[in-house]
């Protein structure tokens, strides 16, 4: 059915276009562009009514199933403006494929990846003046799918919306690339095997807020999550994946059901391997991390994710003890990965992995 969807383009009247925000005070996810992509799904018609339209509110019934049972999935990716105003997207197909993995787990309909990618490119091109040009600033893209059938009762919805909104965001490190302080929790868990930790569904983030609040109160930026069974093995940090440089190995926990397979994680693994670094996907316990910190074989810890790309860790707090990592400074490998990934994303560096999609 969806093979035939056409995308209608309804442009915003020029007098209704919003003023662009100050590029030096963008923050994250506070401003939204003039247009959005929207399409609808129901059991009879499949995907239909695809349109690029002015950014607008939804008119939803209070019984819409997403409000009650949380069938909601999302993605996050970035658009960059490089030299000569060339526009680049980073691995957008991987995001849409991952969204289909999330959709499958949440009993939501599959997206037609090629069609959506075409719609996304058209949307980005239409709102291209919103892509920030300041160093490190980008246009953040948020594809989302929600259950909108007005009905109570726990079962898959018969109606969904899929939409894409876009937000110009500031540089993640306006004062330079600097390490964060991480709070290891053995009180809360993020995900269990057999659950939904490996997909980007809204409830995971609602469930994580309390631990993050406690970490913030204690003066830490993010939570490091341990496995839900033994509260022993490292899983993720906040909404990012995590890497440890110990001895001559770069270690990251394996994707075995409770960890989100980050596209940045995959990019780090491929890039580091191309540099001859020994990347190992294996379980690592918090005790091993602390032992490596004590015997100085732990050289670096960093997190990976779309928002920050690479986020070096300068301090861990576990069971009320503080551990300083890499003298509290940004490690050499963290910096090299950050700079190389950013250069590829901005089109300033060769793209041997074919990660970049050009627009226009
Ligand atoms: C989105 C996300 C990541 C990072 O994925 P990227 O594709 O690299 O942005 C890692 N962990 C969680 C829980 C996430 O939601």
């Amino acid at each position: 059915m969806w093979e035939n969807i056409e995308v209608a383009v309804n442009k915003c009247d020029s007098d209704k276009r919003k003023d662009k925000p100050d590029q030096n005070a963008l923050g994250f996810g506070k401003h939204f562009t003039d247009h959005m992509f929207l399409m609808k799904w129901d059991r009879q018609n499949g995907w239909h009514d695809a349109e690029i339209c002015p950014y607008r509110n939804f008119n939803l019934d209070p019984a819409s199933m997403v409000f009650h049972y949380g069938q909601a999935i999302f993605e996050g990716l970035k658009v960059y403006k490089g030299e000569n105003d060339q526009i680049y997207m980073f691995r957008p197909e991987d995001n849409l494929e991952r969204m289909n993995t999330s959709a499958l787990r949440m009993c939501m309909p599959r997206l037609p990846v090629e069609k959506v990618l075409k719609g996304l490119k058209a949307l980005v091109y239409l709102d291209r003046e919103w892509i920030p040009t300041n160093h490190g600033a980008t246009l953040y893209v948020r594809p989302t799918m929600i259950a909108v059938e007005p009905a109570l009762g726990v079962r898959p919805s018969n109606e969904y919306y899929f939409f894409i909104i876009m937000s110009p965001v500031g540089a993640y490190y306006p004062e330079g690339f600097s390490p964060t302080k991480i709070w290891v929790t053995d009180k809360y868990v993020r995900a269990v095997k057999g659950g939904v930790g490996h997909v980007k569904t809204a409830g995971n983030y609602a469930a994580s807020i309390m631990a993050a609040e406690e970490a913030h109160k204690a003066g830490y930026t993010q939570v490091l999550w341990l496995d839900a069974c033994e509260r022993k093995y490292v899983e993720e940090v906040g909404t990012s994946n995590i890497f440890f440089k110990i001895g001559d190995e770069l270690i990251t926990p394996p994707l075995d059901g409770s960890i989100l397979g980050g596209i940045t994680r995959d990019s780090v693994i491929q890039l580091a391997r191309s540099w001859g670094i020994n990347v190992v996907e294996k379980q690592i316990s918090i005790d091993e991390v602390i032992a490596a910190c004590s015997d100085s074989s732990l050289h670096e810890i960093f997190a990976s994710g779309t928002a920050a790309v690479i986020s070096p860790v300068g301090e861990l707090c576990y069971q009320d003890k503080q551990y300083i990592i890499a003298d509290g400074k940004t490690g050499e490998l963290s910096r090299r990965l950050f700079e190389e990934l950013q250069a590829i994303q901005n089109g300033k560096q060769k793209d041997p992995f074919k990660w970049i999609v050009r627009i226009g």
Side-chain angles (χ1 to χ4, degrees):
M1 273 169 274
W2 47 258
E3 282 85 351
N4 300 317
I5 58 166
E6 294 286 321
V7 179
V9 180
N10 302 313
K11 286 191 199 170
C12 198
D13 291 338
S14 49
D15 61 329
K16 297 232 176 66
R17 303 237 161 139
K18 297 179 246 186
D19 292 331
K20 309 271 187 307
D22 175 2
Q23 278 216 26
N24 297 309
L26 289 173
F28 187 89
K30 291 195 292 191
H31 309 278
F32 296 93
T33 67
D34 287 320
H35 297 90
M36 63 194 278
F37 177 95
L38 173 63
M39 65 179 183
K40 299 177 177 175
W41 187 94
D42 64 46
R43 224 163 272 287
Q44 289 75 43
N45 302 301
W47 289 113
H48 60 278
D49 283 357
E51 58 171 337
I52 288 172
C53 56
Y55 189 98
R56 60 173 162 85
N57 291 347
F58 293 136
N59 186 0
L60 288 176
D61 193 299
S64 297
M65 291 177 86
V66 65
F67 298 141
H68 305 273
Y69 313 116
Q71 256 186 313
I73 56 177
F74 66 92
E75 274 300 327
L77 66 152
K78 279 177 170 177
V79 172
Y80 305 79
K81 205 178 253 179
E83 267 147 44
N84 305 319
D85 284 350
Q86 176 64 56
I87 303 165
Y88 302 96
M89 280 197 286
F90 188 68
R91 306 187 65 174
E93 266 185 86
D94 295 280
N95 286 95
L96 296 176
E97 293 293 354
R98 184 170 69 189
M99 195 155 197
N100 275 338
T101 306
S102 300
L104 187 67
R105 178 63 181 80
M106 301 304 290
C107 301
M108 298 169 86
R110 259 189 88 76
L111 287 171
V113 169
E114 245 175 77
K115 302 265 172 188
V116 172
L117 192 56
K118 261 195 204 161
L120 171 58
K121 284 182 186 172
L123 176 67
V124 168
Y125 192 72
L126 183 59
D127 278 343
R128 63 191 177 280
E129 285 171 19
W130 285 85
I131 309 170
T133 48
N134 276 11
H135 183 70
T138 57
L139 186 68
Y140 184 79
V141 176
R142 169 55 56 88
T144 308
M145 196 193 298
I146 55 171
V148 297
E149 183 190 345
L152 299 183
V154 181
R155 58 163 174 82
S157 169
N158 287 310
E159 296 167 33
Y160 297 89
Y161 282 2
F162 169 77
F163 56 92
I164 305 174
I165 54 175
M166 307 196 294
S167 169
V169 301
Y172 203 87
Y173 300 101
E175 283 106 43
F177 190 49
S178 56
T180 52
K181 292 168 69 182
I182 303 296
W183 171 266
V184 184
T185 180
D186 53 11
K187 180 171 165 198
Y188 300 105
V189 297
R190 195 191 79 91
V192 295
K193 286 185 182 51
V196 293
H198 62 301
V199 300
K200 255 179 146 62
T201 187
N204 284 340
Y205 305 87
S208 76
I209 292 170
M210 190 157 188
E213 283 295 288
E214 288 193 10
H216 296 160
K217 270 191 211 120
Y220 290 79
T221 326
Q222 281 290 2
V223 175
L224 189 149
W225 303 101
L226 301 176
D227 76 281
C229 285
E230 298 182 63
R231 310 222 176 159
K232 179 174 168 192
Y233 296 102
V234 173
E235 299 226 313
E236 300 200 58
V237 51
T239 57
S240 311
N241 297 111
I242 189 156
F243 287 84
F244 302 90
K245 175 95 191 330
I246 298 179
D248 60 3
E249 285 183 341
L250 183 60
I251 301 166
T252 193
L255 303 179
D256 56 5
S258 51
I259 292 176
L260 198 285
I263 292 163
T264 319
R265 174 188 182 278
D266 180 71
S267 306
V268 165
I269 292 173
Q270 289 192 51
L271 201 53
R273 284 192 176 142
S274 79
W275 292 340
I277 292 165
N278 184 17
V279 185
V280 189
E281 292 175 75
K282 67 172 183 192
Q283 283 199 322
I284 176 164
S285 69
I286 189 69
D287 295 333
E288 284 173 80
V289 172
I290 282 159
C293 184
S294 309
D295 72 14
S296 302
S297 60
L298 173 64
H299 304 304
E300 297 181 36
I301 304 179
F302 62 86
S304 72
T306 295
V309 187
I310 299 291
S311 182
V313 174
E315 182 182 327
L316 285 184
C317 179
Y318 177 55
Q319 294 181 339
D320 297 327
K321 287 203 192 81
Q322 280 96 37
Y323 302 89
I324 302 299
I325 315 300
D327 295 330
K329 300 199 185 85
T330 295
E332 205 180 303
L333 180 60
S334 307
R335 183 177 301 280
R336 186 178 175 201
L337 284 162
F338 178 67
E339 285 175 357
E340 184 78 7
L341 279 169
Q342 239 196 2
I344 293 174
Q345 290 167 336
N346 287 313
K348 292 202 178 100
Q349 180 60 271
K350 283 198 305 280
D351 173 28
F353 305 99
K354 306 258 185 303
W355 286 335
I356 293 303
V357 172
R358 286 181 169 73
I359 300 179

